């Protein structure tokens, strides 16, 4: 049996567009003499559908589209395992249809519904009963859907019911070390059942999630027989054949040689060995797909001369091309000449347009508006006689006014152009509230939202030393070394540095990672070598900033505990870290 694996990038809700790509995949599979085409989880509807699950018009339209596809596929071409939401007697299932010969031959339903991290499938779907194999052209297909593979029960039931091989339809989002977790679960199922396992995963960005593809086939000897590329749509074909009395395919945990079905090994698409390479590609793909799938012509961002905006601009150019990226420098009297020079150098290297819009006129207008309430700014009489001075005595209020002026300016440009405004803040700053609501947090997408500050520096250095696969930007050193060498500063007051308000980023991130991702106690974090009072201070900053995070734009999920659905803390609470 020749089996095609369609690692596709669907668009949620685009039934017509997704169906058109499925037709293309089936036609390609037919040209290669395939018997079966395997899609990913909810390939027809896209994944995740979230509360579209409650829209019966959408659910019925998905069913009609699947029936129309089945009615078209009456030739002797490949059968199709198609993922979609399936309504049955008022219960909605995450399902897979087996289509062949113009008919829907069988429906299998997802048994294990994930309900942690970004997943809330128990809210939208009904769990299916333990399945049996699907009969297809003299083969018994043991079909599972994503989470069904993560424990032994479903695979064991399929194996005991006579399955010839295991097929898993997936939409498993990227996170650091996620591929290794998938592979370990797949290895466990292969070891327990002695069956070949085909794993088909979605690829592409969907809101905050990025799906990395990297579909694979594991033979009963636990060796990879096929590996599809990461972060790239692909169609791959594997030949499944019977391994009768073949010791080359013997499972060492079984005493008898295997006599089941195996995939003929073929060349494997290598995965990136560097974790930074995978992270960079995930952010680039998530950003690019968010822009493309939501119909934006391009992106706008503020370029400050700092590391965050430099990396954001580089990612945008790599994802979209220089022609779709517009940058703006918005200096104030606190903006250093070095920042202006670095921003100009970066823009020239990336090949993007950089315009300069000083915020001084707007700031002076706001000073005149607000002065009656906040008091006269301090300054010398000669200066005050002509124009208000910059009111540093207003403290953080004045700093936030500058950030919000920049946000208003960038939003105006984005509105006028019809482009998407990117925010440039990172996870460390968002965690502790070192960001201004309606200022530098203003925008529609935050590429660095799940990247700690130290990780931002790591990615920038990596990008200067490597050229990412599929990148549309220039090769070589793109981020000026002077940006990497300088101490981070918001430049909202004279001689300001981030370290004036925050712990050193190495210490801050060292505390934030176990605090946010592992929920460690105060004792556990002090055992790591951090001072008791510093840990308590960081915890308090994190708690006070929750209301800001609720208003932050979406951004690419990269860690196991990203802000948003992964971490849902109350805004109002009085728990003190112990």
């Amino acid at each position: 049996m020749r089996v095609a694996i369609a690692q596709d990038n669907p668009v949620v809700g685009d039934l017509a567009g997704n169906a058109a790509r499925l037709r293309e995949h089936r036609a390609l599979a037919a040209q290669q003499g395939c018997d079966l085409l395997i899609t990913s989880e909810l390939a027809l509807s896209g994944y995740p559908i979230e509360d579209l699950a409650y829209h019966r018009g959408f659910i019925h339209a998905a069913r009609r589209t699947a029936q129309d596809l089945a009615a078209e596929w009456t030739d002797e071409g490949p059968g199709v395992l198609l993922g979609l939401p399936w309504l049955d007697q008022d219960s909605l299932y995450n399902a897979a249809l087996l289509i062949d010969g113009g008919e829907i031959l069988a429906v299998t339903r997802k048994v294990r519904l994930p309900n942690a991290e970004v997943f809330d499938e128990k809210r939208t779907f009904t769990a299916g009963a333990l399945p049996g194999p699907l009969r297809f052209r003299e083969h018994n297909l043991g079909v599972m859907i994503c989470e069904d593979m993560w424990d032994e029960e479903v695979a064991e039931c399929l194996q005991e019911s006579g399955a010839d091989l295991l097929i898993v339809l997936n939409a498993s989002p990227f996170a650091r070390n996620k591929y290794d977790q998938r592979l370990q679960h797949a290895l466990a199922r292969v070891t327990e059942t002695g069956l070949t396992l085909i794993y088909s995963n979605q690829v592409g960005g969907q809101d905050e999630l990025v799906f990395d593809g990297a579909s694979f086939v594991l033979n009963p000897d636990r060796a990879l027989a096929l590996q599809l590329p990461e972060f790239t749509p692909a169609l791959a074909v594997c030949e499944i054949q019977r391994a009768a009395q073949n010791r080359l395919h013997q499972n060492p945990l079984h005493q008898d040689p295997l006599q089941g079905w195996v995939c003929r090994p073929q060349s494997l698409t290598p995965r990136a060995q560097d974790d930074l390479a995978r992270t960079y590609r995930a952010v680039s793909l998530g950003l690019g797909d968010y822009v493309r799938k939501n119909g934006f012509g391009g992106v706008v961002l503020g370029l400050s001369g700092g590391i965050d905006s430099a990396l954001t601009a580089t990612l945008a150019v790599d994802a979209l091309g220089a022609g779709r990226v517009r940058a703006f420098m918005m200096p104030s009297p606190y903006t250093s000449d070095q920042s202006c020079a670095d921003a100009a150098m970066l823009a020239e290297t990336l090949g993007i347009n950089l315009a300069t819009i000083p915020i001084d006129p707007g700031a002076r207008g706001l000073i005149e508006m607000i002065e009656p309430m906040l008091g006269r700014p301090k300054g010398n009489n000669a200066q005050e006689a002509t124009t208000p001075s910059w009111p540093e005595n207003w403290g953080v209020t004045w700093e936030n006014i500058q950030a919000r002026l920049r946000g208003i300016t960038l939003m105006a440009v984005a509105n006028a152009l019809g482009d998407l405004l990117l925010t440039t803040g990172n996870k460390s700053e968002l965690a502790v509230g070192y960001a201004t609501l309606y200022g530098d947090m203003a925008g529609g997408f935050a590429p660095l939202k799940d990247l700690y500050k130290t990780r931002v520096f790591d990615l920038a250095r990596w990008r200067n030393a490597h050229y990412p696969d599929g990148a549309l930007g220039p090769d070589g050193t793109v981020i000026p070394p002077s940006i990497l060498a300088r101490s981070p500063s918001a430049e909202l007051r004279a001689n300001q540095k981030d370290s004036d308000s925050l712990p050193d980023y190495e210490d801050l991130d060292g505390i934030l990672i176990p605090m946010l991702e592992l929920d460690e106690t105060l004792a556990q974090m002090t055992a790591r070598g951090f001072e008791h009072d510093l840990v308590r201070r960081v915890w308090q900053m994190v708690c006070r900033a929750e209301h800001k995070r609720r208003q932050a734009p979406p951004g690419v999920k990269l860690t196991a505990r990203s802000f948003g659905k992964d971490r849902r803390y109350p805004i109002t609470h009085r728990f003190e870290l112990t």
Side-chain angles (χ1 to χ4, degrees), residues 315-516:
L315 282 160
V317 171
D318 282 343
L320 302 166
R324 299 178 71 181
V325 180
R326 293 174 183 262
F328 294 85
M329 184 72 180
M330 293 165 288
S332 78
Y334 309 120
T335 303
S336 67
D337 292 341
Q338 185 66 57
S339 293
C340 294
D342 286 339
M345 188 185 309
L346 174 71
E348 182 178 0
T349 302
L350 292 175
I352 61 177
N353 178 270
L354 176 64
T356 299
I357 307 176
I359 64 169
D360 184 83
R364 297 197 180 283
L366 275 170
I367 291 170
E368 293 178 355
M369 290 170 56
I370 299 171
E371 177 192 1
M373 181 180 66
L374 296 184
R376 185 72 171 168
K378 294 178 181 177
N380 60 65
N381 293 331
Q383 184 182 30
E384 289 178 359
T386 56
T387 183
S389 62
W390 286 64
E392 294 187 5
N393 58 306
W394 290 359
V396 71
T397 300
W398 172 234
E399 295 179 27
N400 287 341
I401 284 174
Q402 296 171 69
R404 288 177 179 133
L405 275 170
R406 291 182 171 119
I408 290 171
T409 301
L410 290 170
M411 282 302 305
V413 171
N415 289 161
L417 297 175
D419 286 348
L420 174 69
L421 174 58
L422 302 181
T423 66
T424 61
N426 59 70
K427 188 172 188 176
S428 305
E429 295 169 352
L430 192 59
V432 297
Y434 195 63
T436 303
L437 277 173
Y438 327 120
D440 53 316
M441 290 179 64
F445 197 73
L448 311 187
K449 184 178 180 180
D450 205 21
L451 284 171
Y452 295 99
K453 186 76 169 191
T454 50
R455 190 76 166 168
V456 170
F457 277 100
D458 290 342
L459 271 188
R461 294 188 185 98
W462 179 88
R463 177 59 178 87
N464 277 352
H466 302 83
Y467 189 63
D469 290 342
L472 300 177
D475 197 358
T477 300
V478 291
I479 298 175
S482 53
I483 291 180
L484 290 160
R486 293 169 62 205
S487 297
S489 171
E491 294 190 328
L492 296 172
R493 64 174 183 268
N495 303 314
Q496 183 183 28
K497 291 184 173 58
D498 289 5
S499 55
D500 298 337
S501 305
L502 303 176
D504 178 82
Y505 279 115
E506 292 287 345
D507 290 338
L508 179 61
D509 290 353
I511 294 171
L512 286 175
I513 291 170
M515 180 182 288
L516 300 177

Side-chain angles (χ1 to χ4, degrees), residues 40-52:
S40 58
E41 181 178 11
L42 299 188
L44 182 57
S45 63
Y47 182 92
I49 61 171
E50 299 188 289
D51 281 7
L52 277 174

Side-chain angles (χ1 to χ4, degrees), residues 269-291:
T269 301
R271 294 181 62 247
Q273 297 302 307
D274 192 331
D275 177 57
L276 290 171
R278 287 192 288 273
T279 299
Y280 193 94
R281 291 196 69 189
V283 181
S284 181
L285 178 59
L287 167 58
D289 271 358
Y290 192 88
V291 172

